[in-house]
Amino acid sequence: MNQSRRTFLKQGGLLAGGLIAAPALLARSAPSDTIRVGLIGCRNMGFGDLSNCLQQENVICGGLCDVDEEVLMRRAKDIEETYGIKPPLYRDFRKMLEDPELDAVVIGTPDHWHCLITIMACEAGKAVYVEKPLANSIAECQAMVSAVRHHGSIVQVGQQQRSGQHWQDVAAYVQSGKLGQIRRVMVWGNFAYGKGNPRIPNEAVPKNLDYNLWLGPSAHIPYNPNRLHGAWRHTWAFGGGLLSDWGVHLLDIVLWTMKSPVPKRVSAFGGIYQYPNNLIETPDTLDVTWDMGTYNLTWSHVAGNELKQFGRTYGIAFMGADGVLVVNRQGWEVQAPNGAESDLLKPFEVGKDSNHLAHAADFIQAMRENRDPICNIEAGRDAAVLAQYGIVALRSGQTLTMGDDPYDLSHQPDAQAFAKPTYHSGWTFPHW
Ligand SMILES: NC(=O)c1ccc[n+]([C@@H]2O[C@H](COP(=O)([O-])OP(=O)(O)OC[C@H]3O[C@@H](n4cnc5c(N)ncnc54)[C@H](O)[C@@H]3O)[C@@H](O)[C@H]2O)c1
């Protein structure tokens, strides 16, 4: 992408944050313009996201960044073998963000880094594809929304199901009213990985890893390979367990379909009942109820096995007076009351797992068209915060009651303590 586009982007951001009412996004980029995308956090999902971006026309890899040298070198080799280029390599994302030729970054780090890196990328004038959940706390999500809107940045959140046709069909079906009034929506995810890894002794940090930069703003937690790559999800400082890891995908579909992002009250019960010897802080068993005003929304997980509800290990059940629609990534069906034959009965439809590719395509297209992508920052915030309400209710032992500002829990100080993390090691909480 040429320099004038980046300049326009920056001007758009400045105007959007100032007194002049201006469209948030002013830039234009022809499809023939090359877009350079860099990746921060290369090991797993981020690399998949980058690869999907690179499949789009006129998109090239503008750099790779990871704090684990082994991961970085492996992914550099992958890029060279697949695309025949040697992108710039970085160990510190701040250096990558200084590159004026870089148009966008994919953020595939653990959740505790999403907020700072997204905001710093927006400040550097980059578009951002940030993985879900948007962040690891309510306050970080809010800061990100403010910063993104101030800078007029293009941000896609990695809730890729929005780009999947069968999820769009489900939303349309539920919204058509054919199920009758929806009074209850059940969401569940009984995944084996939720039990985490066995507890083993802490170890010396390996030479290939910059562990301080991996920890970043979080409190210092001793290095242990069983809570590092992939396994960080089960430590509160880095992630939120199954509810925020998998749950946000499904909760996002509920909010999108039901158009009701903010609950009135939230309660949660659970604990580590079966795996006390594993290296986990997040519950292996959890039930959350959100009072959404006109319907009850529930999440449940029993981690460590693949128990099924409605015949599925994970899914959503929209329950109306005239039927239940059950959906997961494999497809969806409608069950009529009492198993009766009716025109509501719909065969199970196998969905194609093309959601990730379509989501990346939408991100690139949004950059070219200067529009919000299909999962914008507010949608990412709404799903992540809904999960965080459940986490805060569980950790504080309180039923949350939302006030006028649903993101402010200061009227419940015990809960508020879990709504905003303390930043450490010289990193300061964003001022947004
Ligand atoms: N959308 C989806 O379907 C989906 C699926 C899986 C994971 N995810 C999300 O993707 C993100 C990454 O998950 P994962 O499973 O790939 O994790 P992972 O632990 O496998 O990979 C994270 C990578 O980030 C690197 N990293 C950590 N701190 C860094 C920093 N400061 N700078 C640069 N690199 C850093 C790590 O070294 C590691 O290589 C998470 O937010 C997760 O929730 C989304």
Side-chain angles (χ1 to χ4, degrees):
M1 189 173 292
N2 60 35
Q3 187 60 40
S4 63
R5 179 182 184 278
R6 277 189 287 273
T7 308
F8 269 125
L9 258 181
K10 205 164 175 205
Q11 286 170 350
L14 289 173
L15 288 171
L19 292 174
I20 307 164
L25 307 166
L26 295 180
R28 286 285 178 272
S29 156
S32 56
D33 284 350
T34 299
I35 290 179
R36 290 176 172 76
V37 181
L39 170 61
I40 302 170
C42 303
R43 180 173 169 270
N44 181 31
M45 193 63 240
F47 193 75
D49 296 331
L50 175 71
S51 303
N52 288 331
C53 288
L54 298 181
Q55 288 186 47
Q56 309 308 312
E57 208 178 335
N58 288 325
V59 177
I60 63 168
C61 178
L64 298 174
C65 172
D66 206 289
V67 295
D68 185 328
E69 191 72 14
E70 275 182 13
V71 171
L72 187 62
M73 290 306 153
R74 188 168 72 242
R75 290 314 192 184
K77 189 163 166 271
D78 290 340
I79 291 290
E80 190 176 357
E81 283 174 3
T82 309
Y83 301 99
I85 59 164
K86 290 186 178 189
L89 303 183
Y90 303 88
R91 283 83 187 161
D92 187 326
F93 68 91
R94 290 168 291 192
K95 280 275 162 222
M96 177 188 255
L97 294 178
E98 285 172 8
D99 179 358
E101 292 305 310
L102 200 63
D103 298 297
V105 289
V106 171
I107 300 174
T109 64
D111 306 346
H112 68 285
W113 261 119
H114 290 183
C115 175
L116 270 184
I117 299 179
T118 298
I119 289 177
M120 290 166 82
C122 292
E123 288 169 349
K126 316 301 182 196
V128 176
Y129 185 119
V130 58
E131 263 306 338
K132 52 44 66 178
L134 185 64
N136 200 30
S137 70
I138 295 170
E140 287 171 310
C141 288
Q142 273 300 78
M144 292 165 86
V145 170
S146 301
V148 167
R149 289 307 172 201
H150 174 86
H151 289 287
S153 309
I154 295 170
V155 176
Q156 174 85 296
V157 183
Q159 291 162 182
Q160 71 276 356
Q161 289 170 179
R162 285 188 178 224
S163 294
Q165 185 59 48
H166 88 279
W167 296 100
Q168 294 171 13
D169 292 346
V170 161
Y173 193 96
V174 174
Q175 288 163 2
S176 74
K178 288 179 186 160
L179 295 172
Q181 187 181 340
I182 305 293
R183 282 176 282 163
R184 184 157 193 250
V185 181
M186 293 171 60
V187 186
W188 68 97
N190 298 328
F191 292 104
Y193 80 90
K195 70 180 178 186
N197 290 326
R199 187 178 295 276
I200 59 170
N202 296 330
E203 295 180 6
V205 177
K207 285 200 170 54
N208 55 294
L209 179 69
D210 183 343
Y211 187 51
N212 285 334
L213 204 48
W214 190 98
L215 286 170
S218 93
H220 185 82
I221 294 176
Y223 173 77
N224 191 308
N226 273 5
R227 73 173 151 237
L228 195 79
H229 292 322
W232 48 263
R233 290 165 162 79
H234 313 298
T235 298
W236 291 123
F238 312 135
L242 284 185
L243 172 58
S244 74
D245 194 49
W246 234 102
V248 290
H249 282 302
L250 303 172
L251 294 174
D252 177 45
I253 296 298
V254 176
L255 296 181
W256 193 39
T257 303
M258 301 296 289
K259 302 181 178 170
S260 52
V262 179
K264 294 184 180 308
R265 292 175 297 165
V266 187
S267 65
F269 301 95
I272 302 172
Y273 298 145
Q274 190 169 350
Y275 300 101
N277 297 325
N278 281 2
L279 198 56
I280 54 175
E281 295 177 344
T282 55
D284 61 23
T285 309
L286 180 63
D287 288 280
V288 181
T289 303
W290 296 265
D291 169 1
M292 303 300 287
T294 59
Y295 68 100
N296 283 352
L297 171 61
T298 62
W299 161 267
S300 69
H301 75 243
V302 181
N305 54 51
E306 305 279 329
L307 288 176
K308 291 182 174 167
Q309 293 168 240
F310 285 101
R312 293 161 179 80
T313 299
Y314 69 94
I316 309 172
F318 293 92
M319 308 181 86
D322 302 325
V324 180
L325 188 154
V326 186
V327 58
N328 71 8
R329 287 183 183 174
Q330 276 69 53
W332 61 285
E333 66 181 323
V334 176
Q335 301 173 0
N338 308 317
E341 291 282 332
S342 88
D343 61 357
L344 289 174
L345 284 172
K346 194 165 170 57
F348 193 73
E349 291 178 358
V350 177
K352 295 190 186 71
D353 189 22
S354 57
N355 301 186
H356 279 108
L357 187 61
H359 211 53
D362 177 65
F363 173 55
I364 299 299
Q365 199 56 27
M367 289 179 68
R368 297 203 188 282
E369 295 171 3
N370 303 301
R371 60 164 169 82
D372 263 1
I374 192 166
C375 191
N376 68 13
I377 191 80
E378 286 83 6
R381 184 258 326 266
D382 292 346
V385 166
L386 200 66
Q388 283 297 323
Y389 287 144
I391 289 168
V392 171
L394 177 79
R395 296 183 74 190
S396 67
Q398 296 202 341
T399 293
L400 308 183
T401 305
M402 306 315 162
D404 291 341
D405 177 354
Y407 309 109
D408 179 8
L409 300 177
S410 55
H411 54 288
Q412 293 182 260
D414 290 348
Q416 177 68 13
F418 295 100
K420 180 177 179 180
T422 303
Y423 275 23
H424 298 264
S425 308
W427 297 96
T428 50
F429 194 89
H431 61 88
W432 298 100

